[in-house]
Amino acid sequence: MKSTDIRQSIIPSSFRSRYENFHYSPATGVGDLIWVSGQVGTDSEGRVGMDMTEQARFAFESLKCVLEEAGAVLADVVELNTFHTQMRRDIGAFVAVKDEYFPDNYPAWTAVGVTELARAEFCIEIRAVAVIGSGGR
């Protein structure tokens, strides 16, 4: 096995308390593959977004931060999985925000309706898989 194939935890400094409190890695990398844990609608100070649009932006910004720590960019995302507590009501607003972050060369995407997330006020969670360098920087 090459040293680049060793599993690495990816923990941006702003995620350190989550790592220590909840015992999970914001992302795990093996070689050029990055698996990003679910990102929810909070900003870097833990404030929850007021609505779907704000929560989606916060979640995508967190995703972007984790990817950058891993040496990747949003264009390197090959798969998105999103979890929605009010999918029928909010899917249009979510797609509008998603398109701000992925304006073309769309990743594979699966959207799942769920009854609840980790906190009652969360309405969206986003997880992703990326391949470093695949976005054609």
Side-chain angles (χ1 to χ4, degrees):
M1 180 177 351
K2 300 180 296 186
S3 64
T4 58
D5 292 338
I6 296 171
R7 186 176 81 180
Q8 298 178 357
S9 290
I10 298 157
I11 310 162
S13 60
S14 60
F15 285 70
R16 178 60 59 186
S17 66
R18 293 182 209 179
Y19 174 78
E20 292 169 354
N21 292 333
F22 297 106
H23 308 138
Y24 81 100
S25 292
T28 298
V30 177
D32 290 336
L33 293 171
I34 307 297
W35 290 265
V36 182
S37 297
Q39 302 301 308
V40 293
T42 59
D43 66 9
S44 60
E45 282 133 37
R47 185 177 66 86
V48 177
M50 298 295 290
D51 58 17
M52 163 54 76
T53 299
E54 190 173 38
Q55 284 196 30
R57 283 196 181 103
F58 287 167
F60 278 118
E61 288 298 320
S62 292
L63 174 61
K64 185 176 169 184
C65 175
V66 173
L67 289 169
E68 288 172 355
E69 182 73 19
V73 295
L74 285 170
D76 293 333
V77 171
V78 296
E79 180 182 27
L80 280 177
N81 290 292
T82 59
F83 304 91
H84 307 258
T85 59
Q86 297 289 325
M87 180 141 50
R88 287 189 181 122
R89 182 190 74 193
D90 292 340
I91 196 70
F94 178 79
V95 169
V97 174
K98 180 177 69 67
D99 287 352
E100 294 172 16
Y101 290 88
F102 296 96
D104 56 22
N105 198 20
Y106 309 118
W109 173 39
T110 302
V112 179
V114 297
T115 57
E116 63 183 343
L117 294 168
R119 289 176 46 185
E121 60 268 39
F122 291 158
C123 56
I124 183 71
E125 185 166 338
I126 303 169
R127 66 172 309 277
V129 178
V131 178
I132 296 172
S134 68
R137 293 178 233 184

